[in-house]
Amino acid sequence: GESVGLHLPTLSVQEGDNSIINCAYSNSASDYFIWYKQESGKGPQFIIDIRSNMDKRQGQRVTVLLNKTVKHLSLQIAATQPGDSAVYFCAENAGGTSYGKLTFGQGTILTVHP
Amino acid sequence: GAVVSQHPSWVICKSGTSVKIECRSLDFQATTMFWYRQFPKQSLMLMATSNEGSKATYEQGVEKDKFLINHASLTLSTLTVTSAHPEDSSFYICSARDLRLGSTDTQYFGPGTRLTVL
């Protein structure tokens, strides 16, 4: 729906801390989830993905956790760095006839203080 | 690999004119490309799905006659905003799926095009 005037959730952390960004999704039929990082004025950058048959996946400094029971997704960033400052979006793929179409969450602004 | 480019990166036009935005997959073939619109401080909203060699599929509420999409080759899709108005000012982003990779679900995004209609 329309979200004019909506303020994105924000997370401020100190450099070196771990960050956890959360996302609630709505479609129980979604079978594929992705986290993207978007810096100001740029397109989204793929971070990590996870399929619905998994509950955890790890990458370099990042971990994604999926809880299908409560339809919740989280992104953990270890040893957060100033370069991690950006807006983070989760996205879901419903599969079926919607295969390939992504629905994006509202986003979270991460600010890392040196 | 899996680089997507967009051209132009920004454009300013007068109300009533048409603007074409190109989306290219530089090092892979993309049978499907997606077009998104993003307003300031908001998330990405899918506008349409562009399939090579066939008509685009538009999301509900998106005017197909206003946002013309052409996907004539496996590496190029274009979005033309016709008779642009100030409310069309936005950040337009395309994405493409790389069928070479094992995960065919991964979408790679272009850098976006900032459209400002005066």
Side-chain angles (χ1 to χ4, degrees), chain A residues 67-112:
Chain A
N67 185 330
K68 295 182 290 293
T69 302
V70 295
K71 292 188 283 189
H72 183 268
L73 196 67
S74 69
L75 176 69
Q76 300 177 3
I77 305 174
T80 316
Q81 303 166 1
D84 294 328
S85 295
V87 181
Y88 288 81
F89 293 98
C90 66
E92 60 183 300
N93 181 343
T97 57
S98 299
Y99 185 73
K101 292 170 58 174
L102 295 180
T103 300
F104 279 77
Q106 66 177 88
T108 296
I109 301 173
L110 174 65
T111 303
V112 183

Side-chain angles (χ1 to χ4, degrees), chain A:
Chain A
E2 190 59 53
S3 57
V4 173
L6 180 69
H7 293 284
L8 295 179
T10 60
L11 175 64
S12 292
V13 300
Q14 290 296 126
E15 181 178 4
D17 288 351
N18 296 331
S19 301
I20 300 177
I21 300 172
N22 297 301
C23 176
Y25 65 93
S26 57
N27 191 344
S28 57
S30 292
D31 58 3
Y32 178 61
F33 305 87
I34 315 100
W35 279 100
Y36 287 96
K37 172 187 180 183
Q38 186 179 29
E39 296 175 311
S40 181
K42 297 183 179 180
Q45 176 186 353
F46 174 90
I47 301 174
I48 192 168
D49 58 2
I50 189 168
R51 296 197 175 279
S52 59
N53 60 353
M54 303 172 67
D55 53 20
K56 180 179 180 179
R57 190 165 187 226
Q58 289 185 294
Q60 186 177 13
R61 279 203 308 122
V62 295
T63 301
V64 55
L65 298 178
L66 173 63
N67 185 330
K68 295 182 290 293
T69 302
V70 295
K71 292 188 283 189
H72 183 268
L73 196 67
S74 69
L75 176 69
Q76 300 177 3
I77 305 174
T80 316
Q81 303 166 1
D84 294 328
S85 295
V87 181
Y88 288 81
F89 293 98
C90 66
E92 60 183 300
N93 181 343
T97 57
S98 299
Y99 185 73
K101 292 170 58 174
L102 295 180
T103 300
F104 279 77
Q106 66 177 88
T108 296
I109 301 173
L110 174 65
T111 303
V112 183
H113 301 282

Side-chain angles (χ1 to χ4, degrees), chain B residues 36-106:
Chain B
Y36 296 82
R37 179 168 51 182
Q38 185 178 33
F39 293 107
K41 305 295 185 184
Q42 295 188 28
S43 188
L44 284 75
M45 295 297 294
L46 179 65
M47 299 175 66
T49 302
S50 169
N51 293 297
E52 187 265 338
S54 64
K55 291 184 178 181
T57 303
Y58 291 81
E59 294 301 299
Q60 189 173 11
V62 177
E63 301 175 58
K64 63 180 183 186
D65 295 329
K66 181 169 184 60
F67 299 99
L68 302 179
I69 292 173
N70 183 277
H71 192 162
S73 77
L74 287 173
T75 59
L76 173 65
S77 176
T78 61
L79 168 68
T80 301
V81 183
T82 63
S83 186
H85 292 284
E87 58 266 30
D88 298 323
S89 299
S90 188
F91 194 49
Y92 292 87
I93 309 170
C94 72
S95 70
R97 289 167 59 192
D98 185 350
L99 299 183
R100 296 176 314 169
L101 303 179
S103 170
T104 60
D105 296 321
T106 304

